[in-house]
Structures are given as C-alpha cells and as structure tokens.
Amino acid sequence: MICGLHHVGIAVHNLDEAAGAYRALGLSVEKVETVEGEQVRVAFIPVGDTHIELLEPTGASSPVARFLEKRGPGVHHLCFVVDDVAQAMAQARAAGLLLLDETPRVGAGGSRVCFIHPKSTGGVLLELWQDDHA
Ligand SMILES: C[C@@H](C(=O)O)C(=O)SCCNC(=O)CCNC(=O)[C@H](O)C(C)(C)COP(=O)(O)OP(=O)(O)OC[C@H]1O[C@@H](n2cnc3c(N)ncnc32)[C@H](O)[C@@H]1OP(=O)(O)O
Ligand SMILES: [Co+2]
C-alpha cells in the first residue's frame, strides 16, 4: 500500500550550490549522505510531510550522471513510501509495470527500495521506499 510521497528526487551537478536556492526559501538541508550503490551523494530537505532529495553523482557511471548528460539538471524521480515493498513490487509487476529490481536494493538511510522504469509509467521514474527504521 502506498502511504505517501516520501521525496521528489532532483538531479544536480553540485549539491551544495543547488541547496542554496532551497535555503534561500527558508528550508533546511538535512541528512547528507553518500549512497555507494547508486554512486550518488544525497541531501534531504523536509517540506511539510515530504522531502526534496538532491542527487549529485559521485562517479561517471552513476544513473544520475547519465541523466545530467542527456537531460541536464531537474526533476529525476518521485518516491512513494510503502508499508511493504515486496507487496508493492508484486502489485506493480502484476499490473505490467517494468521493475528495475528483482528484489529491493539499498536506498538512502538504509531503506529498502525498488525503481520502476519511466517507459512503463508515462515518462516518470518511480521509486518505492520501505523504511524499516521509521
Ligand atoms: C539514493 C536513492 C534513494 O532515494 O534512496 C535514490 O533515489 S538513487 C537515484 C539514482 N538511481 C536510479 O535512478 C536507479 C534507477 N535508474 C536507472 O536504472 C536508470 O536511470 C534508468 C531509469 C533505467 C534509465 O537509464 P538509461 O538512461 O541508461 O536508460 P535508457 O537508455 O534505457 O533510457 C530510456 C529512456 O528513459 C529516459 N530516462 C532516463 N532517466 C530518466 C528519468 N529519471 N526520468 C524520466 N526518463 C528518464 C531516457 O532519457 C531515455 O529516454 P529516450 O528513450 O526518450 O531517450
Ligand atoms: Co530517491
């Protein structure tokens, strides 16, 4: 079951520079971490019940580096919080969506996540997120 919008992922060349615009609006940047598996450095900016996730690539083969090359900086994905990622994946698979993961991968903060290919969702990369520490 989808419980909410956890974050909107934004691809940026430089996380610290990009954070400036959000700080100028009075938002605060929290939880900066590197997620090795995705080759990204991320920062979470709380906004009400959801977050902005800034994504800076840490290597040339990062999916975010490829995105920046092809499309430039901007909105990269939407991430839904789910109560049971395995169940949400099974539901998405049964509906014919193209999952990028057979089993959940490790996301930010040790979450368990799965991505859904944008070509099966009308052009938007989706992430399903189960937070076991919440
Ligand atoms: C830390 C973690 C977390 O929050 O916990 C994160 O979010 S990590 C976030 C970073 N990690 C990820 O994104 C992991 C999952 N992503 C991937 O595996 C990849 O980025 C893909 C989504 C498969 C796309 O890769 P790639 O561009 O190499 O594939 P492709 O050549 O098959 O691309 C097919 C088409 O999708 C488009 N495309 C690529 N990325 C897109 C995106 N983010 N949103 C919408 N469209 C996108 C391409 O421009 C291309 O369009 P045309 O055909 O029209 O040219
Ligand atoms: Co994300």
Side-chain angles (χ1 to χ4, degrees):
M1 185 178 71
I2 291 179
C3 309
L5 181 68
H6 187 271
H7 61 260
V8 177
I10 313 278
V12 303
H13 288 292
N14 182 300
L15 198 150
D16 302 302
E17 271 175 28
Y22 299 95
R23 285 207 179 92
L25 290 168
L27 297 169
S28 53
V29 177
E30 296 177 359
K31 294 193 197 163
V32 179
E33 70 169 289
T34 297
V35 181
E36 300 289 351
E38 302 301 313
Q39 290 191 50
V40 288
R41 194 162 74 101
V42 307
F44 283 94
I45 302 173
V47 187
D49 289 336
T50 187
H51 306 80
I52 305 272
E53 178 187 51
L54 300 180
L55 300 148
E56 175 193 273
T58 58
S61 57
S62 166
V64 175
R66 290 202 302 274
F67 181 91
L68 286 168
E69 224 169 82
K70 279 192 193 166
R71 299 178 163 223
V75 175
H76 180 264
H77 66 271
L78 297 183
C79 176
F80 297 120
V81 193
V82 296
D83 56 355
D84 179 342
V85 71
Q87 187 276 330
M89 288 170 70
Q91 185 175 349
R93 197 181 286 117
L97 303 185
L98 183 58
L99 305 195
L100 288 164
D101 301 290
E102 283 279 316
T103 55
R105 64 175 89 174
V106 179
S111 57
R112 289 191 294 141
V113 306
C114 169
F115 287 90
I116 305 178
H117 201 290
K119 82 180 170 204
S120 68
T121 64
V124 180
L125 176 64
L126 297 180
E127 179 179 5
L128 303 172
W129 164 297
Q130 181 178 344
D131 191 345
D132 294 325
H133 312 291

